[in-house]
Structure formats: structure tokens, C-alpha cells
Amino acid sequence: MTTTIETSRRRFLVGSALAAGGFALGFHVPFLAGAEAAAETAAELNAWVVIRPDETVVIRIARVEMGQGTLTGLAQLVAEELDCDWSKVTTEYPTPGQNVARNRVWGNFQTAGSRGIRDSQDYVRKGGAAARMMLVQAAADEWGVAASECTAAGGVITHAASSRSTTYGKVAAAAAKLEPPKDIPLKDPKDWKIAGQPLPRLDTAEKLDGRQVYSIDVKLPGMLNAAVRACPVFGGKLKSFDAASVEGMPGVRKVVAVDDTGVAVIADTWWRAKTALDALPVEWDLGPNAGHSSAEFAKVLREGLEADEAFVGSQAGDVRAAVAGAAKVVEAVYGVPHQHHATMEPMNATALFTGDRCEVWTATQNAEAALATASTAAGLPIPQCEVHRLHLGGGFGRRSTSHDFVRQAVLIAKQTPGTPVKLIWSREEDMLHGRYHPVTMCKLTGALDAQGNVVGLHMRISGQSILVSVNPQGLQNGRDPATFQGLNPSGAEGVFGYTIPNLLIDHAMRNPPVPPGFWRGVNNNQNALYLESFVDEMAHAAGHDALEFRRRMLVNHPKHLAVLDAVAEAGGWGKPAAEGVFRGLAQHMGFGSYVAACAEVSVSREGKLKIHRIVAATDCGHVVNPQQVRAQIEGSFAYGLSAALFGEITVKDGKVEQENFDSYPVMLMEDMPAVESIVMPSGEFWGGVGEPTIFVAAPAVLNAIFAATGKRIRTLPLSKANLRSA
Amino acid sequence: MTRLTVNGTEHDIDVDGDTPLLWVVREQLGLTGTKFGCGIGQCGACTVHVDGAAVRSCALPVSAIEAEQKIVTIEGLSPDLSHPIQKAWLALDVPQCGYCQSGQIMAAAALLRETPKPTDEDINAGMQNICRCGTYNRIRAAIKLAAESPQAQRG
């Protein structure tokens, strides 16, 4: 299994079919001379499709696979239009350097925001369709007939009138020389045969026997390994370190500063690098944030709940007048703490710097950003740098928010020119230097009339902005639009479903010195939790059924209503549950999709919570692979409920207190409820599926807990709440 | 020199005795299917078999292992994905990112060896490995599927 990777490769074509040799995508495999020879004669029909003489169809994938199934889904879309033989399909990643060199022919590499399929479906399908048209034309030209008389299916082109047929592999070379078509019609999704089907993933087998090479597994000739430690206090600096005290330790080659914030040990193996790093005396200048704590952040956020100044996200009518004239006013304050991504594969990157060139091998959700980071760190222009992608051992937004690990790897490799270095973060380093789910609180004030109708709602969000830190160009006059995810009055991304005559949703931005990041689901998670829990509170205060109460306010948004109705029906809402079992509902729209959940829980007298079952519905418009949509729904519950049950990053003395899974517990098998998913695509639009179900996970469970106990949990994590019967 | 028997082959390895088995397997033997996740025996990504039992290799120094003890890593579970657990995992398309799956598969194989017909409670107790993608329900279903196989108890 130990095989090295030749780094001087500049050729393009090695796909996952060659991964059987022990390789990830995009690497030259020196000993597979036959395969390489085949690649020489492969025909590139366009950026997306390459066909080899042996009929293998190589589909290029611009987005990255991190578990969400995009590799398979995107290949299905191309293969559908290509009308190829699915069993002959293999995939490969183009590199960001190739994308730059070819005027970004593959478009956006960023894999975030549940956009992998919905944002690229149009052009990847056209890539498949254009390739098919060229293949058919090439066959028609060879036969001297009109292309319109020929048909293609399963990689075979047929001219029925003359009973002739040929294959894609045979005409690919001629087809590749043809002018690409300009008008490229796409199939109606109702005619799909490959897309839309619950096909098995393309990447499963190599994940079952250790063959899959992740970034952390990369091995290059002569490679050294590095362990790093950055100042544990955000914003702190490296003051000094005593390299001499560890330089004689086994395997240690070099101890180096990394920027002015960290120090790394380079050794023959990672374990020896880490052992020496642990023994290395380091002095830090802890900087201005050393006095900060989560308790202090909470005070600042609470002040924001009452502040006069706030950015307005959505406004209708006069909410203050509605509250003043209400028959009943409901008020509550909620809070969601910082959370860590905790990808299973810790941050890592391998870099080779040779003076005039820098190459990086890493797991990234945005290879173009990783390339820019490498270029800056190397001090070399982008054409002299390259990033090789590997499947991710989890991303969840961490690997799109920041490429700090790539920067570190390059800075370290610059100190060993000509020798590649693999940098791996320990779990502790990973947890102390996350890009955390932002901390927010929310005060909700609801105005009910005498009949219990909601006549006014004020949602005041107070807390951290992601964009201020990650992408300040995205701010609008200082306002962070991402803060209002799922709460906007219009837009394809996520619409507030309830019709409330007097509405104000605003944000008092308060930014504690803890780096925030995009975290699977992003601001939709806490916004849905705040809103859907509070809608339940208002229903209870009005004495109304939680389903009917929502239905009345969703009257203008039939798609929101449809998913809610679906889970209510399948979840048995309004019908008796098993002894001691109680239900809760939630609905939300985000990343272009409509989701709802009905959770069933029980809480023992001693306060032990069990989440028995969740029925979930998703309307994502078009479904490319229903099996993968279901997998994403299940996974979203694991991620969202893990956060609700256990997730909390706290800061003390400017440093994160949790360093590993013993102090940052996550959901295990025993905590996972049964999930019944209803995939109900209504067509006509393309919504994402990697994140949306997370939005409804926590509020559905919290509402069920209220039904079970009468206790309204408004602050996460649940592990800190006392659910014991009074 | 430390002598280890891994996947049926004896290796003499020049390594510091306190090096965890995980890093010997990954760095000295080049068997990278066994993953690093936490380093403190919490997540289970590093699970291997030592004499048939599931062991978290990140917290086990090689000096604590006898030469004759049989270590099996994910690469040695079967030569061709034919172990009942691997077959069930393939049939139900269990993995998402896949990073934890080597450990999950090794833990599940050890569970079935000890408990050929596991109940849900047996699975909860035997499968304490973390999966962040959330494949737990498919893992549970795949273990039950594998348990129906006549070869379920195979090491």
C-alpha cells in the first residue's frame, strides 16, 4: 500500500479508475505504464468529458467530495446528458492551477452553501450534452448521414436506417476535433434515466478497505513531517522558543517559527515531530485578548439585545405599536454558543517548495482560495503554484472558511527547499484554532390579538458576524446579510415563511475576539431554532395547536406549508403517541430548499432525554440522487443534534477551553434517532440538500421536550439543561 | 528493534517504544487506512484488531505489544472486500466522507465476532466510534445485515 507519488507530473489524465493502485484523484501513478499510455490517446471532448478508447468515460468534477455525495451526483448529471454507460464512468478533479490556465473553464471550485449541484447543474449538464452531440456528429460524418438520423444510448451510437452502430470510444478522437455546438438543449428531468436515480456512490469501495487516500495520507519521496503550535490565545504572538532543547531528540530536523504566531517542529515522522513539539519550551506574548471569556461575551450580547442601534434585516408595519396594542405579549431570550466543526480528519496539508515553484496537497472546500493562499505564503505568482485536491475527511465549512493550515504548511516547507513537508494539526491544535460557529443571542417579542393571532413579531439578534471576519467585502454598509439567513422577505435562497403584519428582524452586531466561520447550516441553524421555538411559545400562549398555528401563518407560502403538512401527517401529529412519547414540529427554508421535521422524544423522571424518531421532509426542487438526499438528511440530524445536545466552545483567559473529544463531546450511535425521510421534489427549482435539514433538527426536538416536560429550553447545549421532573 | 505481526507479516521496526501503534502502522509500515482522529482513544478512527479484539491504536504504545500478538488493520480485514461487514457496508452505501469508516468497520467486525446476533443495545455499546457525517443509522443497519451472513463471526 505504500506507494509514492511522482510530483513532476504535468499531464492531466489519471482518474479514480487508477485509484485501485492505492491513489487518490489527480496523481500520476508511475508504475501503471499501461494506463498512462491509454491516457495518451484519450480524447477530451470538452472540459467535463474525456473518453478513452477502451470506452472509459472520465467526468471531471470541479466541486469536492467531502461526504455529501456531490462527486456521484455531478457525474450523474453529466452522464445523463452524455447518454453514456454509467458502469464505464470514472471521475477526476481538475486542479485550480489548470482552472486558472484555462480561463476558469470549470467555473467555481468552492464547495459550500449546499451549492455543489444546484449552482453547477446547468453548465455540467451542457458539458455532457455537448459531448454527446459531438460524438453523434462524428459517427454521422463517418457514415455520411445526418446526425439527426442517429441516436445515442449507453455509449453506443446507432443509425437505425442503415443498421449501423459504433461506440463513443471509437469516435471520440474524431469528435474531439469538431467545433463544439452552440445551441445545447437539455433533457426534461422527467426523462432522466441516470440522474434522479438512487445509484450507489462512486466512492464507496475504496472507503471500505483503507485504499482511499486522504490528504493526511499523502506520501511524497523524501517527505518530512511537521507538527505546529500556534499561540493558544487568539491574536497572541510567538515570543521565543528554545530550539536547542529539542533539536537532539530522535528524528528532529528543524524547529522553525511560523509567521509571528506559531512554532513548528520538522522531523522524519509526525509522531517524533509532535513529541518534540510537546517538549519544546515556548513563550507567548498573549496579546490584548488574554482577559476575554465567554461569560464576558454573554454580557456584551445581552446588552445588544436592548441596544437602540441595530441593522435591519426585515421590516413590515409597525411592530412597536402592535406590541403596545396587543391583547397578549410573549417574550423570550434564546442563545446559541460557539461551536467547533470537529471534522474527523484534522487540518493538514503537504507542501513542496523549490524556490521557483510551490505545490500543495490538501483537503479543501475551495481549492482556488487554497491556491491563492499558497501563492501568497510562497511569495510566488499563481502560475508557479499548484494545489492538488483529495477527498475530504469532513469539511462542514471549516475547510472553506480559512486556509490557515495551507499557509502554515507552505511557510514551513519554505524552510526546507526541495523537500516536501506534511503538516498535521493535532486534535488539540484543530480545536484551539477553529473558525467557530458564531455566538448569538436572540430576544423575541410576539404580539397576539384577542383571538391568539400573531399581529406582531420583533426578533432582535445580537452577536457575531461571520462576514466581518471572513469576507468583509460581503458587508452591505456594515450590515451582514448572512446574519438574516432564512429570515428574508424574498429571494431564492431562503424566505421567511410566516405572514405577520407587523414584523421587525434586526441585528445588533457584537464581535467577540473569537474567529468565526461558516459552519454547516450557518446562521440558518440558530435563526430557525429561535424562530421555530418561539412560534411554539406563541402557540402555547395563544392556546392553539402548534401545527394549526403555523399553518395559518404559512398561508402565503405553499411550499413551506407542504413540507410541514407532510411531516405532521407522517409523524402522526394530532394522533396519540406511544406512552410517554411527545412530539415537536419545526419548518424552515434555506439554501434554496424547504424542510420540516416532526420529532418524537421522551424524558424520564430523572431527566434523561431520548430522541426516538424524527420524520423529515425536504423539497429541493429537483432530486439528482434520492439515496444521497436521504443520507444528507440523516447526517444533518446527526450534525445538528450533536450541536444541540453537546456542542459548546467556551473561552477563558482568551483561550478555548475544549481541546479534544473528551471535553467537546459529540453524538454517538446511542444518541442517534431513527430518521424517516420524505423526499418530495416539486420541480422547477434547484435547492441544496447538504445543510437544510440541520435547521429543523434542534427546534423540533426542543419543542418536543417542551411538550414532554413543560420546560422551554432556550440555551444550548441541552446537556447543561435540567430536564428532571419538578 | 520492535517485532510486530501485522496482517500476517512479521516486521522488525526501528522505533521508539512509546510510539503509539497507530503511528507505527501509518508511518513505518505505510498502512494509512488506519486514521488519526484524536490521539486520546476517544473517537475510534484508529481502531485495529489485536488478537481479534478492537483496540484504539492511537493510545497503545508498541512496547506494550508482544511480537506474537496478531495485529490486523483495515487493509488486512479481507483481501477483496469479502468480509461480511465490508459487504454489508457496500450494499447499504454506508460511508459519506469515509474517514471514520476504517475504524467503524474494524469495531463492527470485532463486535460481530463476540456477539454474532447483536441487539440494538449491543450495537450501541460496541460501537462507540465517532462519525461526524452521521452515518450511524446505516452502520446499525449494515451490522444487522452482516449478522445475517453465515460468515458473520469471521475475524
Side-chain angles (χ1 to χ4, degrees):
Chain A
M1 292 301 296
T2 315
T3 319
T4 52
I5 294 161
E6 184 183 303
T7 57
S8 61
R9 172 180 173 262
R10 294 292 174 271
R11 252 182 318 245
F12 192 71
L13 260 174
V14 176
S16 63
L18 303 188
F23 277 91
L25 303 161
F27 289 130
H28 173 50
V29 186
F31 55 87
L32 289 176
E36 188 66 16
E40 299 287 357
T41 52
E44 180 181 296
L45 277 294
N46 56 42
W48 304 100
V49 177
V50 172
I51 294 179
R52 299 190 190 133
D54 68 357
E55 308 295 338
T56 301
V57 175
V58 181
I59 295 177
R60 304 241 179 85
I61 305 293
R63 314 285 174 150
V64 77
E65 180 58 49
M66 51 187 170
Q68 82 283 38
T70 210
L71 183 87
T72 305
L74 288 168
Q76 282 178 268
L77 287 172
V78 175
E80 176 63 54
E81 296 291 344
L82 183 58
D83 280 321
C84 65
D85 179 350
W86 178 249
S87 71
K88 300 282 195 332
V89 166
T90 184
T91 60
E92 68 179 12
Y93 291 134
T95 68
Q98 289 160 344
N99 204 27
V100 170
R102 293 178 66 173
N103 296 317
R104 296 193 84 221
V105 67
W106 289 285
N108 193 351
F109 278 20
Q110 187 170 19
T111 313
S114 296
R115 287 198 183 86
I117 283 179
R118 64 191 174 113
D119 271 13
S120 45
Q121 52 83 17
D122 182 67
Y123 53 78
V124 303
R125 286 194 291 154
K126 283 180 177 154
R132 182 197 68 235
M133 292 164 76
M134 292 158 74
L135 290 160
V136 170
Q137 186 66 55
D141 290 350
E142 195 181 307
W143 295 327
V145 301
S148 59
E149 292 172 18
C150 303
T151 56
V156 177
I157 304 158
T158 304
H159 183 245
S162 61
S163 301
R164 279 180 291 190
S165 67
T166 186
T167 62
Y168 283 6
K170 292 192 181 111
V171 298
K177 295 186 184 109
L178 297 175
E179 193 69 22
K182 289 196 172 56
D183 181 29
I184 308 168
L186 296 177
K187 293 181 186 175
D188 187 322
K190 74 174 164 39
D191 299 325
W192 284 352
K193 295 184 184 68
I194 296 172
Q197 302 304 311
L199 300 180
R201 296 173 65 112
L202 293 170
D203 55 344
T204 295
E206 49 264 53
K207 291 176 175 174
L208 303 182
D209 61 4
R211 252 183 300 159
Q212 179 68 60
V213 176
Y214 295 85
S215 170
I216 201 170
D217 305 325
V218 163
K219 188 169 172 146
L220 301 172
M223 184 180 80
L224 295 173
N225 291 271
V228 72
R229 183 178 304 143
C231 182
V233 172
F234 301 117
K237 307 264 188 229
L238 177 66
K239 197 190 280 179
S240 67
F241 57 92
D242 180 12
S245 69
V246 301
E247 275 168 351
M249 288 178 70
V252 172
R253 301 294 171 84
K254 214 167 186 179
V255 185
V256 299
V258 182
D259 275 326
D260 59 353
T261 54
V263 58
V265 175
I266 305 169
D268 55 353
T269 69
W270 187 78
W271 180 253
R272 284 172 155 180
K274 190 235 180 232
T275 303
L277 182 66
D278 286 347
L280 180 70
V282 183
E283 282 193 60
W284 306 106
D285 168 6
L286 299 178
N289 297 325
H292 286 296
S293 70
S294 291
E296 171 218 317
F297 304 154
K299 274 189 210 158
V300 173
L301 264 58
R302 265 191 219 102
E303 175 275 317
L305 294 176
E306 308 296 339
D308 293 334
E309 300 275 318
F311 295 110
V312 173
S314 188
Q315 192 165 21
D318 183 343
V319 79
R320 287 186 175 85
V323 170
K328 196 169 199 175
V329 174
V330 187
E331 194 174 279
V333 172
Y334 285 78
V336 171
H338 282 120
Q339 281 154 357
H340 182 52
H341 294 90
T343 59
M344 288 308 296
E345 180 187 12
M347 298 305 112
N348 68 86
T350 300
L352 171 62
F353 178 83
T354 56
D356 63 352
R357 190 163 171 83
C358 179
E359 288 189 74
V360 172
W361 289 258
T362 196
T364 167
Q365 289 175 249
N366 188 347
E368 292 181 291
L371 179 62
T373 299
S375 160
T376 305
L380 293 170
I382 280 183
Q384 284 164 250
C385 301
E386 185 60 288
V387 170
H388 305 279
R389 296 191 278 176
L390 297 104
H391 290 352
L392 279 56
F396 312 127
R398 176 62 181 88
R399 290 183 158 105
S400 71
T401 300
S402 170
H403 290 89
D404 41 358
F405 49 97
V406 170
R407 177 175 174 82
Q408 288 182 343
V410 171
L411 292 176
I412 293 166
K414 275 176 91 173
Q415 314 209 35
T416 62
T419 301
V421 182
K422 175 158 70 182
L423 170 69
I424 304 173
W425 286 13
S426 65
R427 177 57 65 187
E428 290 77 12
E429 196 66 11
D430 189 276
M431 211 166 271
L432 290 176
H433 298 285
R435 291 291 183 274
Y436 308 91
H437 186 49
V439 64
T440 60
M441 296 176 82
C442 185
K443 181 178 176 182
L444 300 105
T445 310
L448 304 178
D449 68 12
Q451 288 74 45
N453 298 307
V454 181
V455 292
L457 175 68
H458 180 197
M459 261 184 100
R460 163 58 66 86
I461 300 163
S462 173
Q464 200 165 10
S465 153
I466 300 174
L467 292 191
V468 158
S469 166
V470 176
N471 180 24
Q473 305 93 300
L475 295 173
Q476 300 167 344
N477 295 322
R479 171 184 175 276
D480 179 350
T483 306
F484 301 104
Q485 276 184 336
L487 304 175
N488 292 308
S490 62
E493 205 52 24
V495 173
F496 185 84
Y498 298 119
T499 298
I500 299 172
N502 300 289
L503 181 71
L504 177 61
I505 302 173
D506 55 8
H507 174 217
M509 192 187 291
R510 299 292 182 272
N511 292 311
V514 175
F518 302 106
W519 192 99
R520 193 177 182 186
V522 199
N523 288 297
N524 280 295
N525 296 349
Q526 68 266 27
N527 290 347
L529 185 153
Y530 299 149
L531 180 63
E532 284 302 286
S533 296
F534 190 70
V535 165
D536 235 57
E537 293 208 50
M538 291 193 292
H540 184 71
H544 290 179
D545 172 77
L547 173 63
E548 289 308 318
F549 191 76
R550 284 182 171 84
R551 295 189 89 245
R552 275 201 298 279
M553 290 195 289
L554 290 174
V555 63
N556 294 319
H557 290 99
K559 289 194 169 79
H560 291 69
L561 182 59
V563 288
L564 179 66
D565 280 344
V567 298
E569 168 75 24
W573 188 263
K575 296 185 183 129
E579 175 77 26
V581 172
F582 295 85
R583 299 191 179 111
L585 292 171
Q587 66 79 27
H588 192 78
M589 182 196 177
F591 302 119
S593 287
Y594 304 82
V595 291
C598 178
E600 289 186 342
V601 312
S602 62
V603 180
S604 73
R605 192 168 287 278
E606 295 71 38
K608 187 164 169 42
L609 167 72
K610 176 152 180 69
I611 308 168
H612 296 271
R613 177 177 83 131
I614 300 189
V615 177
T618 296
D619 178 1
C620 52
H622 292 293
V623 169
V624 176
N625 186 323
Q627 200 48 241
Q628 288 314 307
V629 174
R630 287 178 203 284
Q632 287 311 294
I633 291 171
E634 291 162 22
S636 292
F637 281 120
Y639 207 71
L641 292 177
S642 195
L645 291 167
F646 307 112
E648 184 179 37
I649 288 289
T650 55
V651 173
K652 195 179 170 200
D653 300 329
K655 171 188 164 295
V656 165
E657 292 187 279
Q658 295 73 23
E659 299 195 13
N660 208 319
F661 289 118
D662 51 350
S663 50
Y664 191 80
V666 298
M667 180 187 251
L668 291 170
M669 174 81 80
E670 65 206 49
D671 307 308
M672 183 74 190
V675 174
E676 292 171 26
S677 46
I678 304 166
V679 181
M680 43 188 286
S682 59
E684 306 300 322
F685 69 97
W686 293 78
V689 296
E691 299 166 89
T693 300
I694 298 176
F695 320 151
V696 289
V701 166
L702 293 176
N703 290 337
I705 289 172
F706 176 77
T709 65
K711 293 188 180 193
R712 185 62 70 178
I713 307 303
R714 301 189 181 94
T715 306
L716 296 183
L718 267 163
S719 56
K720 287 198 167 170
N722 178 9
L723 299 179
R724 194 187 297 268
S725 304
Chain B
M1 256 331 155
T2 301
R3 175 164 290 192
L4 294 176
T5 307
V6 179
N7 299 335
T9 305
E10 284 188 4
H11 299 269
D12 288 311
I13 304 157
D14 183 12
V15 66
D16 320 313
D18 58 357
T19 307
L21 175 61
L22 168 67
W23 293 100
V24 174
V25 164
R26 285 181 59 82
E27 301 200 295
Q28 266 80 19
L29 301 182
L31 297 171
T32 54
T34 306
K35 298 303 188 217
F36 168 59
C38 69
I40 58 167
Q42 281 277 323
C43 78
C46 65
T47 304
V48 300
H49 293 172
V50 177
D51 291 337
V55 168
R56 297 194 168 180
S57 64
C58 75
L60 180 68
V62 285
S63 58
I65 305 169
E66 303 294 333
E68 61 275 13
Q69 287 190 287
K70 291 187 174 64
I71 298 162
V72 175
T73 69
I74 185 72
E75 291 89 348
L77 188 63
S78 78
D80 51 4
L81 295 176
S82 62
H83 189 282
I85 285 288
Q86 289 170 314
K87 283 166 133 173
W89 249 244
L90 191 62
L92 299 186
D93 230 359
V94 170
Q96 289 190 26
C97 90
Y99 193 82
C100 74
Q101 296 297 336
S102 296
Q104 303 278 6
I105 288 167
M106 297 308 279
L111 171 67
L112 276 199
R113 198 166 180 268
E114 287 292 309
T115 314
K117 300 285 176 198
T119 62
D120 280 329
E121 286 67 34
D122 293 331
I123 294 172
N124 289 347
M127 299 299 294
Q128 294 280 312
N129 294 35
I130 293 173
C131 169
R132 292 290 285 154
C133 296
T135 62
Y136 292 128
N137 289 352
R138 281 166 200 249
I139 289 174
R140 185 187 299 282
I143 290 172
K144 290 179 178 177
L145 179 64
E148 292 167 13
S149 157
Q151 272 115 44
Q153 276 176 279
R154 172 177 152 180

